[in-house]
Amino acid sequence: MAHVLVIGASKGIGLETTKAALAAGHRVRAFARSAAGIGLSDPSLERFTGDAVNAADVAAALDGVDVVVQALGVPTRDLIRPVRLFSEATNLLVPAMETAGVKRLIAVTGFGAGDSRDAIGLLQQLPFRLVFGRAYDNKDAQEMRIRRSSLNWTLVRPGVLTPGAATGRYKVLTEPASWRNGLISRADVAGYIVAQIDHPSHERKAVVLVR
């Protein structure tokens, strides 16, 4: 079983990944500014209060881990302002992992990041840019930094996120010609991430996840 660091573990995909990794028998270090409030009870869970853009916090969190899951998010209200969290956190995390000798990184970005932007339909492009443009410009920089690293990375680009339980019925689209938008639950994204912890099959690849 792996020792997994989940960055952004207090909500969303990060919280679902924490639950799924614990259920799979992994040890989880749940990293978030509000980690103390994570309402899970498991002897394999360590709550780690830290800031993803604080170098000392990130370096300390990497001690003894095998895999890092980066699942950062920004509140909807912050989308109208310039977004820097994804690139700033990644610019700290990548060299810290390389220094610590932690090679495996699974980073959640989103459909529309990097070269998947070309797969957005014409009717969706304008509203996508208006609402998510600032965040996804920063996700582009995040992905570029990861791609330039020496890490064994996987870029996870889910479609439109929904609540609900994991179904296991989703598609992993690996070829650019097949990329498209669609719905997927946060729990199913977490299921894919944990499967990649157990049996990495998409190292140094970007995948799109949809139902």
Side-chain angles (χ1 to χ4, degrees):
M1 295 293 104
H3 190 185
V4 184
L5 171 62
V6 180
I7 298 176
S10 62
K11 61 184 67 174
I13 292 170
L15 180 58
E16 293 298 330
T17 299
T18 298
K19 294 176 184 177
L22 290 169
H26 298 296
R27 294 169 57 204
V28 178
R29 179 171 292 156
F31 181 109
R33 286 180 295 181
S34 56
I38 294 173
L40 301 176
S41 179
D42 192 294
S44 296
L45 172 66
E46 175 192 356
R47 296 171 183 81
F48 191 105
T49 301
D51 188 334
V53 293
N54 181 291
D57 290 349
V58 172
L62 288 169
D63 183 44
V65 303
D66 305 304
V67 182
V68 177
V69 177
Q70 188 188 47
L72 296 169
V74 296
T76 302
R77 65 179 182 273
D78 290 346
L79 295 177
I80 63 173
R81 297 190 288 267
V83 176
R84 300 185 180 89
L85 173 65
F86 305 113
S87 63
E88 289 183 356
T90 303
N91 287 340
L92 285 177
L93 176 63
V94 166
M97 288 181 65
E98 290 171 335
T99 298
V102 180
K103 299 294 292 182
R104 184 75 174 112
L105 172 62
I106 303 171
V108 181
T109 59
F111 175 75
D115 53 357
S116 68
R117 183 176 299 187
D118 295 337
I120 299 175
L122 289 175
L123 294 178
Q124 294 179 316
Q125 287 178 7
L126 180 58
F128 180 87
R129 291 299 303 166
L130 287 173
V131 177
F132 301 111
R134 294 174 181 83
Y136 273 73
D137 287 346
N138 198 240
K139 287 176 183 281
D140 290 350
Q142 174 191 17
E143 288 198 357
M144 288 175 61
R145 181 64 185 91
I146 291 169
R147 286 180 180 276
R148 291 198 308 267
S149 74
S150 63
L151 304 176
N152 297 326
W153 48 264
T154 300
L155 299 176
V156 181
R157 298 164 167 170
V160 179
L161 296 169
T162 65
T167 66
R169 297 188 298 274
Y170 59 88
K171 295 179 174 62
V172 182
L173 308 179
T174 59
E175 298 301 323
S178 69
W179 288 343
R180 61 174 175 82
N181 205 358
L183 304 176
I184 186 166
S185 71
R186 294 174 180 85
D188 272 332
V189 178
Y192 169 80
I193 291 169
V194 172
Q196 286 299 299
I197 293 171
D198 292 330
H199 303 289
S201 57
H202 296 132
E203 290 188 348
R204 301 190 72 82
K205 292 183 180 179
V207 302
V208 170
L209 302 183
V210 292
R211 282 209 296 264

